[in-house]
Amino acid sequence: MEGNCEALPFAESSFDAVTCAFGVRNFEHLEQSLCEMYRVTIQGGQIVILELSVPRNSLLRMGYTFWTHTFVPFVGSLVAHNREAYRYLPRSIVAMPQYEAFASLLRRVGYRNVSFTPLSGGIATLYKAIK
């Protein structure tokens, strides 16, 4: 089903769990979209979000930055003939609120018991919360 994440076509408290993988960084209005996810989750239900992130470890972050900002766009231009699409990816990751900032946003829209777990050295992060 295709729909607008800022105005989900579901009744309030429709789902036990709401999930999103590698997508929230592309939401135009992130807080509004999270409010909608909250609205359609039942009381006591869970939200689970997996999103790309920037590693906190400085050595890993240096390699990651080179990889995502230089190597990935270069390979994207060779394989997909679309360098700009592969430049967008690292920019969207950096622009996304991460770690405590995203956890704080989840709390602001009403979620509780918010936690996050960096995965693969912080290249991705798993966020969980309860309504």
Side-chain angles (χ1 to χ4, degrees):
M1 169 183 243
E2 188 175 320
N4 181 347
C5 60
E6 295 174 21
L8 296 171
F10 306 108
E12 232 174 270
S13 301
S14 294
F15 299 99
D16 294 329
V18 176
T19 66
C20 186
F22 309 116
V24 295
R25 74 180 185 287
N26 296 309
F27 291 171
E28 187 173 356
H29 300 105
L30 179 58
E31 189 166 350
Q32 176 60 36
S33 299
L34 292 174
C35 285
E36 273 297 278
M37 295 167 98
Y38 183 86
R39 183 186 68 78
V40 300
T41 306
I42 66 166
Q43 193 63 39
Q46 188 172 33
I47 186 171
V48 179
I49 295 173
L50 178 63
E51 191 52 81
L52 296 170
S53 50
V54 178
R56 289 180 158 169
N57 175 285
S58 59
L59 187 58
L60 186 55
R61 188 173 51 248
M62 280 180 17
Y64 171 87
T65 299
F66 172 77
W67 180 266
T68 59
H69 290 270
T70 305
F71 186 74
V72 169
F74 174 71
V75 171
S77 68
L78 294 177
V79 175
H81 305 292
N82 188 349
R83 186 179 192 99
E84 191 52 38
Y86 291 90
R87 284 185 174 156
Y88 167 79
L89 177 65
R91 286 195 308 255
S92 71
I93 296 167
V94 170
M96 167 81 184
Q98 297 179 22
Y99 305 112
E100 290 86 0
F102 190 69
S104 178
L105 184 55
L106 289 170
R107 284 185 200 94
R108 189 164 61 235
V109 301
Y111 285 102
R112 57 187 170 79
N113 298 345
V114 178
S115 67
F116 61 90
T117 306
L119 304 170
S120 300
I123 292 171
T125 302
L126 183 66
Y127 299 90
K128 294 181 183 179
I130 304 292
K131 177 176 179 180

